[in-house]
Amino acid sequence: MSHSILLVEDDLEISEMVKTQLGKEGFKVVQAFDGESALQYFSAEGFDLILLDLMLPKMNGMDFLQFVREQSVIPVLIMSAKDSEVDKAIGLGLGADDYIAKPFSMIELTARVKAAIRRANNYSKAVEKDVTAIMNIGGLTIDLENFSVKKDNREIKLTAKEFLILKMFISSPNRVFTKEQIYQSVWNDDYYKDENVINVHMRRLREKIEDDPSNPKYIKTIWGIGYKLGEI
């Protein structure tokens, strides 16, 4: 079955180049050239992935991404010339799954698109195999059937990546994970040495589950190595 991609890019030349390349790989690509039309396409059709430029007319990419994350956990790959740590942090903090800076090669873009869709499919299959599992630690309850997390019976909304990171630590409570191991396990892809991706997701997860994110008890930092589950 052909996977469907929503390509949100206001540069016609780049959009056509990306559409042509992904079309050769068997993807169905729907083009949107501004945020408002992207919103209409997203609301009307089902997609397997969104390729999103940040600098868009009518409605910027961040606002569009925020709307998407309120509705769906669809993989979102940001592609933008704004290659600063701040923009990466904002984009990933809002729930983007990956980031690729312009100019990029079509080979790398295609690889990242395939990896993102593969990760999303593997995530769904993994949950389907273990729909009755409920994990508890401290005041946290993780329900894999409903993709939900509660803290002291209060629901916490996590993105798909945050959910997988938390599940990984709870499933291996005595193991210390390096950033490379976390990326390879959760993203199921080669590590691009971009620590910001892990840092942002870890910070956002801690902000949601910890009483004091600056002094975490659920996920501890092991300086110079990585992270491990706290002894709760």
Side-chain angles (χ1 to χ4, degrees), residues 78-83 88 99-105 112:
I78 289 178
M79 49 180 196
S80 178
K82 297 185 69 177
D83 187 23
K88 288 183 181 181
Y99 185 105
I100 186 169
K102 297 177 181 177
F104 47 76
S105 73
R112 296 224 189 171

Side-chain angles (χ1 to χ4, degrees), residues 216-230:
K217 65 178 183 179
Y218 289 108
I219 299 178
K220 294 284 190 180
T221 298
I222 308 300
W223 295 109
I225 303 176
Y227 306 90
K228 75 179 296 288
L229 191 71

Side-chain angles (χ1 to χ4, degrees), residues 175-188:
R175 180 176 174 182
V176 176
F177 291 91
T178 65
K179 290 182 178 180
E180 182 174 359
Q181 289 170 335
I182 293 171
Y183 192 90
Q184 290 175 340
S185 176
V186 173
W187 276 257
N188 193 28

Side-chain angles (χ1 to χ4, degrees), residues 20-68:
T20 298
Q21 173 64 27
L22 294 179
K24 292 178 181 178
E25 297 291 331
F27 294 102
K28 174 188 174 184
V29 180
V30 174
Q31 294 166 287
F33 298 98
D34 61 71
E36 289 184 359
S37 61
L39 198 62
Q40 294 173 356
Y41 283 125
F42 174 75
S43 300
E45 302 182 31
F47 295 96
D48 297 293
L49 178 137
I50 297 174
L51 279 172
L52 177 64
D53 183 25
L54 296 180
M55 303 297 290
L56 297 170
K58 297 185 179 180
M59 180 184 191
N60 68 51
M62 291 302 181
D63 290 340
F64 172 71
L65 175 57
Q66 187 170 14
F67 176 87
V68 168

Side-chain angles (χ1 to χ4, degrees), residues 36-221:
E36 289 184 359
S37 61
L39 198 62
Q40 294 173 356
Y41 283 125
F42 174 75
S43 300
E45 302 182 31
F47 295 96
D48 297 293
L49 178 137
I50 297 174
L51 279 172
L52 177 64
D53 183 25
L54 296 180
M55 303 297 290
L56 297 170
K58 297 185 179 180
M59 180 184 191
N60 68 51
M62 291 302 181
D63 290 340
F64 172 71
L65 175 57
Q66 187 170 14
F67 176 87
V68 168
R69 276 294 166 257
E70 290 172 354
Q71 311 293 324
S72 171
V73 294
I74 181 176
V76 178
L77 171 58
I78 289 178
M79 49 180 196
S80 178
K82 297 185 69 177
D83 187 23
S84 71
E85 291 300 304
V86 173
D87 288 311
K88 288 183 181 181
I90 292 174
L92 292 167
L94 283 174
D97 296 86
D98 205 352
Y99 185 105
I100 186 169
K102 297 177 181 177
F104 47 76
S105 73
M106 289 296 101
I107 293 176
E108 181 182 2
L109 179 66
T110 301
R112 296 224 189 171
V113 166
K114 290 181 177 179
I117 292 177
R118 183 177 67 249
R119 291 193 299 265
N121 290 338
N122 289 343
Y123 173 71
S124 298
K125 291 177 182 177
V127 172
E128 288 173 2
K129 291 179 181 178
D130 198 12
V131 295
T132 61
I134 295 180
M135 300 178 178
N136 293 282
I137 176 170
L140 290 180
T141 300
I142 298 90
D143 186 338
L144 298 182
E145 182 177 4
N146 297 311
F147 309 100
S148 68
V149 176
K150 290 183 178 180
K151 182 178 181 181
D152 300 326
N153 293 321
R154 177 178 58 85
E155 186 171 358
I156 300 173
K157 292 186 178 181
L158 300 183
T159 66
K161 291 294 180 295
E162 292 164 355
F163 188 93
L164 284 176
I165 291 172
L166 180 59
K167 178 185 175 183
M168 180 187 67
F169 282 105
I170 292 176
S171 299
S172 303
N174 298 315
R175 180 176 174 182
V176 176
F177 291 91
T178 65
K179 290 182 178 180
E180 182 174 359
Q181 289 170 335
I182 293 171
Y183 192 90
Q184 290 175 340
S185 176
V186 173
W187 276 257
N188 193 28
D189 196 10
D190 293 334
Y191 186 48
Y192 290 98
K193 303 299 181 183
D194 187 355
E195 292 189 355
N196 187 64
V197 173
I198 302 297
N199 293 341
V200 170
H201 279 80
M202 196 64 67
R203 188 188 75 243
R204 296 284 295 183
L205 175 60
R206 282 171 164 169
E207 288 174 351
K208 294 178 180 180
I209 67 173
E210 300 284 358
D211 294 329
D212 180 7
S214 63
N215 184 27
K217 65 178 183 179
Y218 289 108
I219 299 178
K220 294 284 190 180
T221 298

